[in-house]
Amino acid sequence: MVIKTDELPAAAPADNAREPGSQAGGKGRPGAAEPPSVMLLNGDCSESLEKEEGGAAEPPRENGLDEAEPGDEATGQEVIVIQDTGFSVKILAPGIEPFSLQVSPQEMVQEIHQVLMDREDTCHRTCFSLHLDGNMLDHFSELRSVEGLQEGSVLRVVEEPYTVREARIHVRHVRDLLKSLDPSDAFNGVDCNSLSFLSVFTDGDLGASGPSDSGKRKKGLEMDPIDCTPPEYILPGSRERPLCPLQPQNHDWKPLQCLKVLTMSGWNPPPGNRKMHGDLMYLFVITAEDRQVSITASTRGFYLNQSTAYHFNPKPASPRFLSHSLVELLNLISPTFKKNFAVLQKKRVQRHPFERIATPFQVYSWTAPQAEHAMDCVRAEDAYTSRLGYEEHIPGQTRDWNEELQTTRELPRKNLPERLLRERAIFKVHSDFTAAATRGAMAVIDGNVMAINPSEETKMQMFIWNNIFFSLGFDVRDHYKDFGGDVAAYVAPTNDLNGVRTYNAVDVEGLYTLGTVVVDYRGYRVTAQSIIPGILERDQEQSVIYGSIDFGKTVVSHPRYLELLERTSRPLKILRHRVLNDREEEVELCSSVECKGIIGNDGRHYILDLLRTFPPDLNFLPVPGEELPEECTRAGFPRAHRHKLCCLRQELVDAFVEHRYLLFMKLAALQLMQQKASKMETLTSLENSSPLSSEPKTEVSPGPEVGSEEERSSASGLAKVKELAETIASDDGADPRSREVIRNACKAVGSVSSTAFDIRFNADIFSPGVRFPESCQAEVRDQKQLLKDAAAFLLSCQIPGLVKDCIDHAVLPMDGATLAEVMRQRGINMRYLGKVLDLVLRSPARDQLDHIYKIGIGELITRSAKHIFKTYLQGVELSGLSAAISHFLNCFLSSYPNPVAHLPADELVSKKRNKRRKNRPPGAADNTAWAVMTPQELWKNICQEAQNYFDFSLECETVDQAVETYGLQKITLLREISLKIGVQILLKEYSFDSRHKPAFTEEDVLNIFPVVKHVSPKASDAFHFFQSGQAKVQQGFLKEGCELINEALNLFNNVYGAMHVEICACLRLLARLHYIMGDYAEALSNQQKAVLMSERVMGIEHPNTIQEYMHLALYCFASSQLSTALSLLYRARYLMLLVFGEDHPEMALLDNNIGLVLHGVMEYDLSLRFLENALAVSTKYHGPKSLKVALSHHLVARVYESKAEFRSALQHEKEGYTIYKTQLGEDHEKTKESSEYLKCLTQQAVALQRTMNEIYRNGSSANIPPLKFTAPSMASVLEQLNVINGILFIPLSQKDLENLKAEVARRHQLQEASRNRDKAEEPMATEPEPAGPLEEDGSQPQVAKDPSPSLQG
């Protein structure tokens, strides 16, 4: 853990930071993986990772320091070059050769400690200090502040005496070293460990083997036969979907046993007289040779004593060897330990650092193999000491979470270094808080925490643990009676969390929110919040000085709060408004009434209960006497929902305002043009514009037709509108007519100001119990209209827009989570899923939306099942959990008609039933109602739930019907439901379809995990660099783009540490750029990191990981690592089959890739299976006339040509030619190419026929010229691979390049204009779409997540 002192929370004393990779609080990063906080630009994360690998003694590896140069580039934004070049120092440690280490002046002394604790030859030391010329260096001083430290200085490692704390740290560190290859922490989801399987498929490191080795490989390429046949289940058309290959056994995991047992002895703690001899604690060890020994840890080190299991004798035993390190002592007494420990450490340092660094938030795996439960003293001790703060080994020092969360927000943020430091501190505290809150929530539900109101019934109880406040998602004291009771109480926490996320993002100085985490665990929802200082001593009525505690009966306001909230109102589109309280007084608010303001004892202004930050969704809130627009009523709205807390998403509010802004500009432009046209007839022009203002309805909720016209309007029209905006702004309303125009346009679009465009929402409209003063009735009426328009906009623009994007393949969801993400980006709540599916069904391009329909139905079924499971699980006591879960899964997925639940009491018989205790953990009723559920009943409930919640009627009564009707896969449903409910099941093959025995037994349910929702703070500066880098790339300035993105990578590393989703995107783009610029080794190195990171932070079978595998395979192929490329592609195909199945547009791309590589290694028959499948899938999803299909035909034709089956080849190439001719015309180069190829094929066919005839005529004596069947060259295969993956290289001269850049710049300006227009419809504003028209050869357009820097201008 590398923490800076300046960033240490006040509560945690500075020595906290010394924990050696302490695995604590989920952030024990082994080694100095987290870049030092002030290493601004000159160190890339890989520099410190490099040191961590002990890379300093060896020559720097190719993916090492060469990435750290962009520091010198002033990026035109802010120059943040703190260019202190690194230098090297010599380290003298006892017992080994001196070695040199590269360091940077901004590093702290403690980071050198971290590196030494991770190096293979010094990893067994933890308790030492560094001395320079006899003076001890302070742990927390920066290297540049150390006098006399320069290039070539010698640092001596001096062993220090142990204390109890240091001895414990040492034992813990040794245990971590012994367990370093053991994946059980990743399977169990603890300490931010997660799985990665890339190394299984690449056989070690990709680019790191050094030039000599890859040279050997290249030479041996042609000779080595590669076994390319994939396992049966990966081939196209296979129906088998095995589960076991998901987590292949990594041979490194068969751990080398160094010791049988290492545990704390029962003789601890030392008695007083032994304490005075320096004994700190006793350990008990059983060596691999079965020798039992007792070890004393003393201030001077470790030695054997004469105690046995039953007899205490602290005197030293022979050999009387005192060692400062436990490892050295064990080396001495156990030869097996010595041998195996050395091998283990060698393997440990060979692993890629990204395989072992902790992730910022815990990732859980839904499957795990059967693991032996091994003895582990540290794990056992952690479970039973009060694991409070993240410094577990200093009990009693809990962290004041609230103070830490708020102080980090108060850090200065004037310049870039300050902002980086601040963002980094915020991110760090948030991830620690999330880990602590998750652990606390599980402890609460498991019944390990005492309630603060123990006398009340379990639903009402509240808890405090580790300075975090926990409450359960039930309607306590009828608080939500008018909003839907328990259902409302269940959704309120997530709404509140969204509010917290939003206010945090606006980041107004002086306004504070609470740390909030929402945890779903065992059917309960727990909200964890940091505690406002002083809130527990006071009554809530006294504390609230702004807002209302009873939903609007009594309302108070406060000038300071109004001032603070006013600053958030513009970005959040919130209207400042007045309401009446119970004494008929007008109170002014700038938020919804439930939002409460409390000044803590620390004098900070907190806001909480942000559950109605966004305006209500009228489609799900029937209000008597209010008519919704026609688009809504047509779709069957308003529908009563289970609760009245349905809000629009922030993304929707933003899209709606954007849409209105375009409308506003159009109206203004229209009127100004009319005015210009009739300068003389001013009067008429005003009359012309008056209908607009008198009946705003016609303009206001523009249906789809307005939208389509919008897309037709050319860039020039938009440029005019922009120009108008500027003239309007510069006018200052000097011209009364233009002021009139603006007033009319404002009125037409519902702007709250009449002089400028400004749309805001009043979140209290339609809120039960809130009353508005008479004077505001007109405003309230306008606000109601605005809400209705927003509800209509969601149905008439956003949902059709989503479906259109899916037809155009602008977005390619692959599973439920990615579909949900795509919906949410457009502001569509999940409760509209039924409506989205209805639209898909009615779409003329229904077949091209087949994949969306399947994913949607699967999501609908698993979400409905999740709702049922939640209440089902609340009635289960702890001892029956695995039986209950396996019974539920049997009813949900197994074809076995009548599974019987095993009640938990069958293992043991208790003598007498104890009386029921009043204080049970929540839900521990003696309830066996769950055991009588049948599959028929469950599926009936699922269909009913789908109807009630999503308004969609499912036509199925059993799982088999569902699978049959909708083309689903049971394994996919199992994955989706397990991820949603947090269940981990055993990795084995399940026979879902057996009618003779149920698929699951209770032994198959291994664990139940929490599902955690939290705020994830962003690195804003890094993100801006990333975006400007992307923009540069799209203009064709690759080098500059590359530098900016490298810069972004540095800043991301600075804020997030080494592992994060956004760093993954950064690495992916860098790899692609290096590939395009021809630097394959660098591309490989970056893409390998991207794959590892995606596996670690998103999950081993997340759709994003599948994409990363495909990119990596391409770069491997380009680097001539053919067998690796194939095994990566096979892995991607297996994962896609598991996650979705075969029938997906991405599968066409993947199969084309596999087919091409197989063609390259002359496996023609196998290649054809994949290419023909790709052709079929492309034809289905892109239409038989698409350019993609033409390309697919061409690829198939090439393989037939290689097989000398010219008739088939001609047939396919003709198909392709026809498509090119109709789509692109006779003169297009593609059409010409195809026609040339046809001629060539015909000639070959004729030649072959001649030869055959010759043979028939002359028999065996025929004189036959040998036929030339050429294997395709690697270059031609690579060229085709680039084409299908959307990468184009253009051979250009310097002059061409200049022209191209000018052209691209011109185009970019046009696009900027149109992009401003399309922003509302843009799939993902963060990573803009490719510039220029999509490649004409039908190459795959990138998934929205992957901006394609294809270079066509």
Side-chain angles (χ1 to χ4, degrees):
M1 278 278 331
V2 186
I3 306 189
K4 298 291 171 251
T5 33
D6 50 14
E7 177 192 307
L8 274 176
D15 67 315
N16 282 6
R18 252 175 90 181
E19 300 309 311
S22 59
Q23 296 271 319
K27 297 303 281 186
R29 298 178 185 261
E34 193 175 359
S37 76
V38 229
M39 226 170 100
L40 275 185
L41 282 195
N42 72 359
D44 174 53
C45 106
S46 61
E47 168 180 316
S48 46
L49 290 183
E50 166 108 326
K51 269 194 313 225
E52 181 197 7
E53 294 185 277
E58 310 139 26
R61 300 222 326 250
E62 54 180 47
N63 61 352
L65 301 176
D66 49 358
E67 290 178 17
E69 287 151 20
D72 340 320
E73 290 295 326
T75 47
Q77 299 192 343
E78 258 176 90
V79 186
I80 40 166
V81 187
I82 304 184
Q83 205 43 328
D84 289 349
T85 42
F87 55 92
S88 61
V89 292
K90 218 173 187 52
I91 305 275
L92 282 180
I96 57 168
E97 292 295 305
F99 57 91
S100 66
L101 189 63
Q102 185 72 22
V103 294
S104 127
Q106 296 95 7
E107 285 183 42
M108 293 202 175
V109 176
Q110 71 162 4
E111 282 160 34
I112 301 184
H113 275 251
Q114 295 288 5
V115 175
L116 294 182
M117 277 163 49
D118 203 64
R119 267 183 73 92
E120 190 181 345
D121 47 4
T122 54
C123 64
H124 54 277
R125 303 183 182 283
T126 61
C127 187
F128 58 87
S129 56
L130 294 168
H131 289 234
L132 174 66
D133 308 332
N135 300 325
M136 180 169 140
L137 303 186
D138 169 34
H139 220 67
F140 294 113
S141 51
E142 291 191 354
L143 296 185
R144 58 178 157 205
S145 64
V146 177
E147 278 181 43
L149 186 63
Q150 67 223 18
E151 176 72 38
S153 294
V154 176
L155 291 179
R156 187 176 290 281
V157 173
V158 177
E159 296 174 343
E160 293 288 327
Y162 284 101
T163 59
V164 176
R165 180 164 175 275
E166 286 290 352
R168 285 192 122 140
I169 286 171
H170 186 77
V171 172
R172 194 174 262 274
H173 182 64
V174 170
R175 169 266 202 172
D176 287 343
L177 291 175
L178 292 174
K179 271 189 59 177
S180 55
L181 294 182
D182 176 18
S184 58
D185 278 355
F187 285 120
N188 295 330
V190 291
D191 290 340
C192 285
N193 287 320
S194 57
L195 297 163
S196 161
F197 290 98
L198 177 63
S199 55
V200 179
F201 300 98
T202 55
D203 298 328
D205 208 357
L206 284 167
S209 41
S212 59
D213 182 76
S214 56
K216 278 207 294 280
R217 246 191 248 168
K218 278 205 180 88
K219 276 213 258 336
L221 185 79
E222 308 310 329
M223 285 70 90
D224 290 351
I226 303 174
D227 177 29
C228 313
T229 325
E232 194 58 40
Y233 57 83
I234 288 177
L235 290 172
S238 161
R239 312 262 356 114
E240 194 191 348
R241 298 281 182 268
L243 186 58
C244 288
L246 176 62
Q247 293 172 336
Q249 280 305 303
N250 189 332
H251 42 88
D252 278 354
W253 287 350
K254 286 283 162 272
L256 295 156
Q257 200 182 32
C258 299
L259 292 174
K260 288 200 171 157
V261 176
L262 160 65
T263 171
M264 297 294 172
S265 155
W267 299 115
N268 281 318
N273 66 326
R274 287 309 304 169
K275 234 189 226 168
M276 297 161 81
H277 280 86
D279 290 10
L280 301 172
M281 61 181 181
Y282 305 118
L283 304 171
F284 175 64
V285 170
I286 303 181
T287 66
E289 296 87 357
D290 272 331
R291 179 178 169 196
Q292 303 195 0
V293 293
S294 195
I295 297 177
T296 300
S298 74
T299 48
R300 296 164 52 213
F302 296 82
Y303 60 85
L304 299 186
N305 63 38
Q306 296 179 28
S307 302
T308 63
Y310 309 108
H311 177 69
F312 180 60
N313 180 356
K315 296 276 180 285
S318 60
R320 295 183 163 219
F321 176 72
L322 172 79
S323 157
H324 191 265
S325 136
L326 181 56
V327 173
E328 284 171 3
L329 179 63
L330 293 169
N331 276 340
L332 200 77
I333 60 173
S334 161
T336 315
F337 178 88
K338 184 171 186 174
K339 185 175 109 232
N340 287 355
F341 187 76
V343 178
L344 187 72
Q345 293 323 306
K346 209 167 229 67
K347 276 191 173 168
R348 179 180 67 89
V349 289
Q350 278 165 0
R351 289 176 70 194
H352 195 286
F354 282 9
E355 290 182 63
R356 49 204 183 107
I357 297 168
T359 57
F361 300 103
Q362 184 65 57
V363 177
Y364 299 101
S365 161
W366 63 278
T367 52
Q370 193 72 58
E372 285 92 59
H373 189 59
M375 232 171 156
D376 180 342
C377 62
V378 179
R379 188 188 62 219
E381 184 196 17
D382 281 350
Y384 292 111
T385 49
S386 58
R387 286 192 74 182
L388 276 177
Y390 83 138
E391 278 304 332
E392 272 93 0
H393 1 280
I394 335 177
Q397 296 181 353
T398 60
R399 292 171 72 172
D400 182 343
W401 291 110
N402 191 64
E403 188 54 35
E404 286 188 42
L405 287 162
Q406 313 312 347
T407 358
T408 49
R409 288 212 162 272
E410 287 165 348
L411 291 171
R413 43 174 152 177
K414 292 191 210 37
N415 52 25
L416 190 83
E418 284 185 352
R419 281 199 299 274
L420 284 178
L421 212 68
R422 173 176 186 265
E423 283 176 347
R424 174 191 181 139
I426 290 175
F427 184 75
K428 182 80 190 72
V429 173
H430 265 284
S431 63
D432 286 356
F433 176 71
T434 304
T438 307
R439 218 168 52 221
M442 290 167 73
V444 163
I445 296 299
D446 289 338
N448 300 342
V449 181
M450 174 84 175
I452 49 179
N453 49 346
S455 52
E456 306 205 21
E457 63 164 314
T458 38
K459 279 186 170 188
M460 318 276 270
Q461 290 179 350
M462 293 172 247
F463 306 83
I464 288 182
W465 178 89
N466 189 3
N467 281 328
I468 306 175
F469 174 79
F470 296 92
S471 51
L472 301 171
F474 294 111
D475 186 10
V476 183
R477 305 195 187 85
D478 286 344
H479 190 63
Y480 292 104
K481 196 172 69 191
D482 300 344
F483 290 88
D486 277 352
V487 186
Y490 187 83
V491 295
T494 42
N495 279 5
D496 182 38
L497 181 69
N498 288 335
V500 170
R501 187 176 290 133
T502 317
Y503 276 102
N504 280 356
V506 177
D507 210 1
V508 167
E509 244 173 285
L511 190 63
Y512 296 91
T513 55
L514 301 182
T516 309
V517 174
V518 179
V519 180
D520 291 320
Y521 179 60
R522 282 181 48 192
Y524 294 94
R525 171 157 286 180
V526 186
T527 310
Q529 289 172 311
S530 62
I531 300 169
I532 298 179
I535 183 102
L536 297 169
E537 295 99 72
R538 304 181 284 192
D539 214 15
Q540 208 184 10
E541 279 78 26
Q542 307 160 354
S543 333
V544 174
I545 58 163
Y546 171 89
S548 161
I549 53 169
D550 47 17
F551 289 101
K553 294 185 194 55
T554 50
V555 193
V556 284
S557 188
H558 188 278
R560 175 74 180 132
Y561 270 105
L562 281 175
E563 175 195 338
L564 287 168
L565 288 167
E566 180 67 43
R567 287 190 225 155
T568 65
S569 64
R570 183 152 201 131
L572 300 187
K573 326 272 189 293
I574 292 173
L575 182 69
R576 189 163 170 164
H577 60 277
R578 298 198 296 280
V579 298
L580 289 176
N581 66 11
D582 49 354
R583 298 201 292 277
E584 303 298 323
E585 297 158 349
E586 294 190 7
V587 182
E588 189 162 24
L589 296 175
C590 196
S591 64
S592 67
V593 285
E594 305 80 12
C595 167
K596 304 174 188 37
I598 296 180
I599 299 184
N601 284 0
D602 50 5
R604 294 190 179 107
H605 291 73
Y606 292 92
I607 50 169
L608 53 157
D609 288 351
L610 306 173
L611 54 143
R612 310 223 355 209
T613 305
F614 296 110
D617 180 354
L618 294 194
N619 288 330
F620 286 94
L621 190 70
V623 181
E626 293 288 347
E627 274 293 302
L628 283 186
E630 195 225 343
E631 294 95 328
C632 303
T633 47
R634 253 209 321 265
F637 289 111
R639 291 189 61 225
H641 202 53
R642 298 184 175 172
H643 57 81
K644 295 186 176 168
L645 294 177
C646 295
C647 296
L648 298 172
R649 295 185 64 87
Q650 185 183 10
E651 297 90 340
L652 184 89
V653 172
D654 293 345
F656 176 69
V657 171
E658 183 80 34
H659 177 86
R660 278 296 161 99
Y661 180 61
L662 287 171
L663 189 61
F664 167 78
M665 293 312 276
K666 279 207 186 114
L667 291 177
L670 204 70
Q671 295 184 36
L672 282 173
M673 282 170 194
Q674 286 174 356
Q675 278 192 10
K676 282 194 178 134
S678 51
K679 260 253 160 80
M680 309 295 75
E681 314 156 52
T682 322
L683 292 169
T684 47
S685 98
L686 279 179
E687 276 156 30
N688 278 358
S689 64
S690 60
L692 277 172
S693 42
S694 60
E695 28 180 9
K697 241 1 273 110
T698 51
E699 289 288 332
V700 159
S701 43
E705 51 302 340
V706 181
S708 47
E709 165 237 281
E710 201 170 285
E711 279 146 40
R712 285 199 296 271
S713 79
S714 65
S716 61
L718 255 147
K720 277 192 196 131
V721 172
K722 256 190 153 158
E723 201 179 299
L724 278 165
E726 281 150 24
T727 50
I728 291 172
S730 60
D731 242 4
D732 278 345
D735 178 0
R737 275 177 315 181
S738 61
R739 219 180 314 164
E740 175 71 14
V741 166
I742 288 179
R743 189 174 311 124
N744 288 335
C746 281
K747 191 165 177 197
V749 297
S751 162
V752 292
S753 142
S754 60
T755 54
F757 176 83
D758 187 6
I759 283 192
R760 302 193 189 191
F761 291 92
N762 174 347
D764 282 331
I765 302 276
F766 296 126
S767 176
V770 177
R771 299 172 306 141
F772 298 99
E774 275 302 311
S775 55
C776 306
Q777 289 314 315
E779 180 189 295
V780 169
R781 198 181 56 241
D782 292 347
Q783 279 294 322
K784 286 183 177 175
Q785 188 54 54
L786 203 57
L787 286 178
K788 291 174 185 174
D789 294 342
F793 170 74
L794 196 155
L795 294 171
S796 64
C797 288
Q798 294 305 86
I799 294 183
L802 169 69
V803 173
K804 182 176 180 305
D805 281 342
C806 292
I807 295 176
D808 301 343
H809 302 288
V811 290
L812 276 178
M814 208 179 286
D815 67 345
T818 39
L819 176 68
E821 187 186 332
V822 166
M823 283 174 64
R824 287 172 181 147
Q825 279 163 11
R826 286 161 184 68
I828 305 169
N829 311 68
M830 286 316 289
R831 56 177 174 270
Y832 285 99
L833 182 58
K835 286 288 161 265
V836 173
L837 289 176
D838 281 342
L839 196 61
V840 166
L841 273 179
R842 295 203 311 271
S843 162
R846 161 74 183 82
D847 282 353
Q848 294 180 27
L849 290 168
D850 205 29
H851 61 300
I852 303 291
Y853 188 63
K854 278 184 194 165
I855 295 171
I857 292 282
E859 186 69 351
L860 198 90
I861 291 177
T862 45
R863 276 177 184 265
S864 304
K866 178 185 81 171
H867 297 169
I868 296 162
F869 180 77
K870 186 182 75 194
T871 42
Y872 169 87
L873 209 58
Q874 287 178 5
V876 180
E877 55 181 21
L878 196 49
S879 59
L881 263 182
S882 57
I885 294 171
S886 59
H887 180 62
F888 182 88
L889 289 175
N890 279 328
C891 294
F892 182 46
L893 292 173
S894 174
S895 306
Y896 183 63
N898 40 357
V900 179
H902 294 285
L903 291 176
D906 52 11
E907 282 185 30
L908 302 164
V909 183
S910 78
K911 270 251 175 72
K912 55 174 192 290
R913 304 290 303 142
N914 49 359
K915 302 260 186 318
R916 290 180 54 175
R917 297 208 329 278
K918 181 167 147 206
N919 249 337
R920 315 195 115 101
D926 291 331
N927 184 347
T928 51
W930 58 267
V932 296
M933 175 188 270
T934 63
Q936 295 74 22
E937 183 194 352
L938 174 62
W939 275 90
K940 195 172 137 213
N941 289 343
I942 287 177
C943 294
Q944 209 171 341
E945 180 71 12
Q947 184 64 57
N948 296 348
Y949 194 91
F950 296 106
D951 191 23
F952 190 87
S953 43
L954 288 170
E955 271 108 46
C956 52
E957 289 165 25
T958 63
V959 64
D960 294 315
Q961 276 185 7
V963 167
E964 193 56 42
T965 315
Y966 299 110
L968 306 174
Q969 304 186 136
K970 288 188 179 180
I971 191 102
T972 304
L973 289 175
L974 175 64
R975 170 180 178 264
E976 294 281 358
I977 190 84
S978 303
L979 290 172
K980 285 184 178 58
I981 60 184
V983 166
Q984 186 182 55
I985 57 163
L986 181 63
L987 185 70
K988 69 169 205 188
E989 301 312 337
Y990 292 96
S991 51
F992 296 112
D993 298 333
S994 157
R995 303 194 63 81
H996 306 297
K997 65 178 212 307
F1000 299 90
T1001 67
E1002 48 194 289
E1003 299 308 312
D1004 295 333
V1005 179
L1006 297 183
N1007 209 337
I1008 183 157
F1009 289 129
V1011 177
V1012 185
K1013 300 179 175 67
H1014 57 84
V1015 176
S1016 185
K1018 293 278 173 268
S1020 49
D1021 288 286
F1023 195 60
H1024 295 318
F1025 270 89
F1026 185 58
Q1027 281 184 311
S1028 40
Q1030 281 181 319
K1032 277 267 183 277
V1033 168
Q1034 275 159 16
Q1035 297 165 36
F1037 303 104
L1038 294 196
K1039 199 93 185 88
E1040 294 89 327
C1042 201
E1043 277 155 8
L1044 281 168
I1045 286 166
N1046 252 319
E1047 197 52 79
L1049 182 63
N1050 267 327
L1051 303 187
F1052 276 137
N1053 277 320
N1054 238 306
V1055 174
Y1056 296 141
M1059 283 267 159
H1060 196 272
V1061 182
E1062 285 171 22
I1063 300 181
C1064 190
C1066 220
L1067 287 165
R1068 180 202 311 134
L1069 191 51
L1070 267 179
R1072 206 174 167 97
L1073 287 175
H1074 283 300
Y1075 180 71
I1076 288 177
M1077 299 193 299
D1079 186 349
Y1080 294 163
E1082 199 53 36
L1084 255 187
S1085 153
N1086 279 318
Q1087 187 59 33
Q1088 181 187 11
K1089 291 180 194 166
V1091 175
L1092 284 170
M1093 199 172 296
S1094 183
E1095 287 192 306
R1096 295 283 320 277
V1097 296
M1098 300 175 94
I1100 53 170
E1101 81 291 359
H1102 190 280
N1104 190 66
T1105 307
I1106 301 177
Q1107 297 271 325
E1108 304 295 9
Y1109 264 101
M1110 283 163 66
H1111 295 315
L1112 185 61
L1114 172 64
Y1115 308 153
C1116 276
F1117 185 87
S1119 313
S1120 311
Q1121 303 184 16
L1122 303 195
S1123 55
T1124 307
L1126 261 180
S1127 59
L1128 292 169
L1129 286 168
Y1130 287 155
R1131 170 69 170 172
R1133 191 171 208 276
Y1134 165 71
L1135 293 175
M1136 203 186 292
L1137 287 173
L1138 180 81
V1139 165
F1140 177 83
E1142 203 157 47
D1143 192 18
H1144 191 281
E1146 267 301 83
M1147 195 52 103
L1149 174 62
L1150 185 48
D1151 281 353
N1152 273 330
N1153 272 302
I1154 297 176
L1156 273 168
V1157 176
L1158 287 169
H1159 185 195
V1161 295
M1162 302 194 286
E1163 288 276 349
Y1164 302 134
D1165 293 335
L1166 207 48
S1167 168
L1168 273 177
R1169 289 186 69 172
F1170 286 100
L1171 290 175
E1172 289 183 325
N1173 186 55
L1175 176 60
V1177 175
S1178 290
T1179 311
K1180 171 174 177 180
Y1181 283 108
H1182 296 279
K1185 294 279 169 280
S1186 107
L1187 295 176
K1188 276 207 181 19
V1189 175
L1191 182 66
S1192 222
H1193 278 299
H1194 174 63
L1195 297 179
V1196 175
R1198 285 179 36 156
V1199 182
Y1200 275 123
E1201 178 200 7
S1202 299
K1203 287 181 69 177
E1205 294 182 18
F1206 296 114
R1207 181 170 294 156
S1208 307
L1210 276 165
Q1211 196 181 336
H1212 278 288
E1213 191 55 45
K1214 273 187 190 129
E1215 295 271 340
Y1217 173 72
T1218 321
I1219 297 175
Y1220 282 134
K1221 199 167 104 182
T1222 48
Q1223 296 283 358
L1224 304 171
E1226 289 278 4
D1227 304 331
H1228 193 276
E1229 58 173 329
K1230 278 283 163 210
T1231 322
K1232 288 181 183 157
E1233 268 172 36
S1234 181
S1235 142
E1236 284 299 306
Y1237 185 54
L1238 274 172
K1239 281 183 198 141
C1240 160
L1241 282 175
T1242 316
Q1243 284 161 4
Q1244 281 173 288
V1246 172
L1248 179 69
Q1249 199 53 52
R1250 269 201 204 115
T1251 316
M1252 300 306 280
N1253 295 346
E1254 175 87 1
I1255 294 174
Y1256 289 138
R1257 260 202 310 273
N1258 305 345
S1260 53
S1261 63
N1263 164 23
I1264 313 168
L1267 277 174
K1268 293 198 188 71
F1269 290 146
T1270 50
S1273 73
M1274 284 303 146
S1276 72
V1277 174
L1278 185 59
E1279 185 187 340
Q1280 292 294 338
L1281 275 172
N1282 288 330
V1283 168
I1284 61 171
N1285 287 295
I1287 296 174
L1288 282 188
F1289 298 94
I1290 308 176
L1292 291 175
S1293 67
Q1294 198 47 44
K1295 185 160 167 265
D1296 290 342
L1297 261 177
E1298 297 306 316
N1299 300 344
L1300 177 73
K1301 280 190 177 170
E1303 166 67 12
V1304 167
R1306 191 179 68 75
R1307 250 200 214 180
H1308 186 69
Q1309 284 163 354
L1310 279 176
Q1311 259 182 324
E1312 274 299 290
S1314 66
R1315 188 172 297 149
N1316 290 342
R1317 177 193 80 206
D1318 292 340
K1319 237 193 186 135
E1321 293 103 351
E1322 190 176 287
M1324 192 171 176
T1326 50
E1327 299 193 65
E1329 287 293 84
L1334 265 176
E1335 296 81 42
E1336 280 131 9
D1337 42 37
S1339 58
Q1340 180 74 9
Q1342 292 309 303
V1343 182
K1345 286 195 190 138
D1346 195 1
S1348 101
S1350 36
L1351 269 196
Q1352 66 297 4

